C-alpha cells in the first residue's frame, strides 16, 4: 500500500477515534512518524562509536536512490569516499543533526516525486497501448539491497587494504558450492576456516561489522525473489546481518513480508512487524532503538524478537500464491503456477514447448 493511501486510512481512523477520545493506532505516516524515527535511530547509531558510518537508501516503486549522504552535499562528510578513510582534519567529526534531517527529507521528497511522475507516464502508456506491461506492485527492495551490499563491499575492501586481498579470499571460498551447502544443511570446513580467518583479520584491523536494516511498507514484489535471495546469499558470505521491520496497515488480516522474513532468518538478523500504537506518537523510534540498535555482539545477551516460523514454500512469481507443483523458467528459474503464454513474465525469454 502506498504512503498516500496510508495517510488517508490514518486520517479516517484518527477522526473516528478522536470522537471517542481514543489515541491513534496508525498506520505510520511517512513524514511525521517514519522519517523522524529514522533520523533519531541514525544519530543514536553514530553515537555508539566514532567510526560508525551509515548510508540511507530509499525506494519508491522502481526508483532507488542514496538519500544520505547526498552527492555534492554541504558537508565534507557527505562524500562516500571519506566515509572509510577520513582525512586527519575530519577525524572525529560529529554528524550534524539538522543536516541529516534536511538531506533525508529532501532526498525522499525528490524520490517520491520521480516515482510518481514515472508511474503517471507508465499508466498513460498502458491505457494507450495494450502491449505495454502494467507496473508491478511493491517496491524494488532487491535493487536497494544490492546497492547496499555494493557500498559495504567498497568500504570493507578499502579498509582491508584493497581489492587484491579481497579477491584472493573470494577465490578460496568456493562460492559455487555455498548455496547448495546451505540448502542441504551441509557445512564446508575449508570455507568455514577461510571465513573465520577473514573475520579475525577484519577484527584485528578494526573493521566494524556490517549490517543492513530494511524498513518495508509495501507488499513483496514476487518477480524480485531470485534477486533478493541472491543478495541474501551474498550477505551470508560476507557476514552481514539483515534486519527487517515491516509496517502492517492494520486491516485485520495477517500482514507480513515473507521474503524479508527469509532474508532475516538466513542471515541471523531480527524481524519485527510493529502494529497499532507501536507505529505512532514516537513509539516507532523506541522500537527501532530498542530492537535494531544493539550491536551484533550485544544481541547475544538480549532477549530480542525471534521468528518462530518462517514460510520457505515456493511461491508463484505472478500471483504470489504458494505452490507444490509449478512451471519453472529454464533461463531465470522463475516459478509460475500456470504456464506463461509466449514469454516468461520475469526475464521475457520466449517459452518453447518441450521436444
Amino acid at each position: 500500500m502506498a504512503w498516500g493511501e496510508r495517510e488517508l486510512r490514518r486520517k479516517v481512523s484518527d477522526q473516528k477515534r478522536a470522537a471517542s477520545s481514543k489515541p491513534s493506532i496508525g498506520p505510520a505516516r511517512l513524514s511525521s512518524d517514519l522519517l523522524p524515527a529514522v533520523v533519531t535511530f541514525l544519530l543514536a547509531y553514530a553515537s555508539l562509536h566514532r567510526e560508525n558510518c551509515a548510508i540511507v537508501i530509499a525506494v519508491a516503486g522502481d526508483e532507488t536512490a542514496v538519500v544520505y549522504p547526498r552527492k555534492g552535499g554541504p558537508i565534507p562528510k557527505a562524500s562516500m569516499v571519506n566515509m572509510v578513510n577520513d582525512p586527519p582534519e575530519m577525524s572525529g567529526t560529529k554528524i550534524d543533526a539538522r543536516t541529516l534531517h534536511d538531506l533525508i527529507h529532501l532526498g525522499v521528497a525528490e524520490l517520491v516525486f520521480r516515482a510518481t511522475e514515472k508511474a503517471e507516464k507508465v499508466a498513460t502508456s498502458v491505457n494507450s497501448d495494450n502491449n505495454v506491461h502494467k507496473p508491478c506492485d511493491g517496491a524494488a527492495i532487491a535493487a536497494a539491497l544490492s546497492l547496499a551490499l555494493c557500498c559495504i563491499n567498497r568500504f570493507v575492501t578499502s579498509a582491508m587494504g584493497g581489492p587484491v586481498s579481497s579477491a584472493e579470499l573470494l577465490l578460496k571460498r568456493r562460492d559455487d558450492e555455498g548455496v547448495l551447502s546451505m540448502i542441504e544443511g551441509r557445512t564446508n570446513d575449508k570455507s568455514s576456516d577461510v571465513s573465520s580467518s577473514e573475520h579475525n583479520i577484519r577484527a584485528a584491523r578494526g573493521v566494524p561489522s556490517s549490517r543492513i536494516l530494511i524498513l518495508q511498507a509495501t507488499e513483496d514484489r514476487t518477480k524480485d525473489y531470485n534477486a533478493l535471495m541472491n543478495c541474501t546469499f551474498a550477505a551470508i558470505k560476507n557476514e552481514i546481518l539483515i534486519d527487517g521491520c515491516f509496517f502492517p496497515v492494520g486491516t485485520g488480516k495477517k500482514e507480513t513480508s515473507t521474503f524479508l522474513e527469509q532474508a532475516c532468518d538466513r542471515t541471523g538478523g531480527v524481524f519485527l512487524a510493529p502494529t497499532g500504537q507501536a507505529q505512532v506518537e514516537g513509539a516507532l523510534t523506541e522500537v527501532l532503538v530498542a530492537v535494531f540498535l544493539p550491536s551484533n555482539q550485544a544481541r547475544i545477551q538480549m532477549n530480542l524478537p525471534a521468528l518462530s516460523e518462517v514460510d520457505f514454500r515456493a511461491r508463484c512469481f505472478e500471483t504470489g500464491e504458494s505452490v507444490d507443483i509449478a512451471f519453472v523458467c529454464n533461463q531465470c528459474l522463475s516459478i509460475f503456477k500456470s504456464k506463461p503464454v509466449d514469454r516468461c513474465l520475469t526475464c521475457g525469454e520466449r517459452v518453447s514447448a518441450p521436444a
Side-chain angles (χ1 to χ4, degrees):
M1 178 175 291
W3 285 107
E5 298 179 33
R6 288 172 176 264
E7 290 277 356
L8 295 176
R9 185 181 292 270
R10 170 75 174 273
K11 185 177 181 179
V12 173
S13 175
D14 287 356
Q15 289 176 350
K16 292 180 179 180
R17 297 184 65 82
S20 304
S21 301
K22 296 180 180 179
S24 174
I25 57 173
R29 290 189 174 118
L30 177 62
S31 58
S32 60
D33 295 316
L34 180 60
L35 293 185
V38 170
V39 172
T40 304
F41 175 81
L42 292 176
L43 292 174
Y45 175 75
S47 67
L48 291 180
H49 195 281
R50 62 185 297 272
E51 294 184 356
N52 276 359
C53 301
I55 293 180
V56 181
I57 301 173
V59 184
D62 293 328
E63 295 292 323
T64 303
V66 177
V67 298
Y68 181 85
R70 288 172 63 87
K71 185 176 182 180
I75 54 176
K77 200 94 174 183
S79 172
M80 292 178 62
V81 178
N82 291 332
M83 294 187 72
V84 178
N85 299 311
D86 291 335
E89 63 273 12
M90 289 298 299
S91 179
T93 301
K94 297 180 180 179
I95 294 179
D96 182 72
R98 173 55 60 183
T99 302
L100 176 65
H101 174 276
D102 293 344
L103 291 183
I104 289 181
H105 279 73
L106 176 61
V108 170
E110 291 178 348
L111 184 67
V112 171
F113 175 78
R114 292 203 307 270
T116 303
E117 190 176 35
K118 182 177 181 179
E120 292 176 351
K121 293 181 180 179
V122 173
T124 304
S125 301
V126 170
N127 294 333
S128 59
D129 187 355
N130 295 329
N131 295 326
V132 178
H133 294 289
K134 295 182 179 180
C136 299
D137 295 332
I141 302 295
L145 180 57
S146 177
L147 178 58
L149 290 172
C150 291
C151 293
I152 291 175
N153 180 70
R154 176 180 179 182
F155 298 158
V156 173
T157 300
S158 177
M160 293 185 65
V164 176
S165 58
S166 178
E168 291 176 351
L169 288 173
L170 289 174
L171 291 175
K172 297 178 182 178
R173 280 181 176 177
R174 295 185 179 180
D175 281 359
D176 55 337
E177 299 179 3
V179 176
L180 295 177
S181 298
M182 187 187 70
I183 294 176
E184 298 176 7
R186 297 186 286 105
T187 57
N188 189 310
D189 294 336
K190 294 183 179 180
S191 298
S192 301
D193 293 341
V194 173
S195 178
S196 178
S197 62
E198 180 186 1
H199 177 79
N200 295 334
I201 293 175
R202 292 171 59 177
R205 294 188 179 183
V207 179
S209 58
S210 305
R211 45 185 167 140
I212 298 173
L213 172 59
I214 299 177
L215 306 177
Q216 182 175 341
T218 61
E219 60 270 24
D220 292 325
R221 180 177 286 192
T222 53
K223 74 169 188 176
D224 288 349
Y225 179 74
N226 283 352
L228 187 65
M229 287 300 103
N230 286 336
C231 290
T232 301
F233 298 147
I236 295 173
K237 281 292 184 181
N238 290 278
E239 300 179 352
I240 300 173
L241 292 185
I242 297 179
D243 294 328
C245 185
F246 182 79
F247 301 104
V249 181
T251 58
K253 301 179 182 179
K254 183 180 179 181
E255 300 175 74
T256 187
S257 169
T258 304
F259 297 170
L260 189 55
E261 285 184 359
Q262 293 182 15
C264 295
D265 179 75
R266 286 300 188 185
T267 60
V270 178
F271 176 86
L272 186 66
T275 59
Q277 295 183 352
Q279 294 189 24
V280 299
E281 302 297 336
L284 185 57
T285 302
E286 298 181 18
V287 170
L288 295 183
V289 172
V291 177
F292 300 107
L293 183 61
S295 63
N296 304 347
Q297 294 75 18
R299 294 182 180 188
I300 301 176
Q301 310 298 331
M302 301 179 67
N303 185 20
L304 295 177
L307 288 168
S308 58
E309 183 179 354
V310 181
D311 187 2
F312 284 102
R313 291 179 297 174
R315 290 179 177 270
C316 173
F317 279 37
E318 181 181 7
T319 64
E321 301 177 34
S322 299
V323 292
D324 296 321
I325 301 177
F327 295 90
V328 180
C329 174
N330 63 343
Q331 296 295 327
C332 66
L333 302 182
S334 294
I335 301 172
F336 299 101
K337 181 178 181 180
S338 302
K339 182 179 178 180
V341 179
D342 191 30
R343 293 183 179 275
C344 172
L345 301 179
T346 302
C347 65
E349 186 70 18
R350 185 177 296 278
V351 177
S352 57

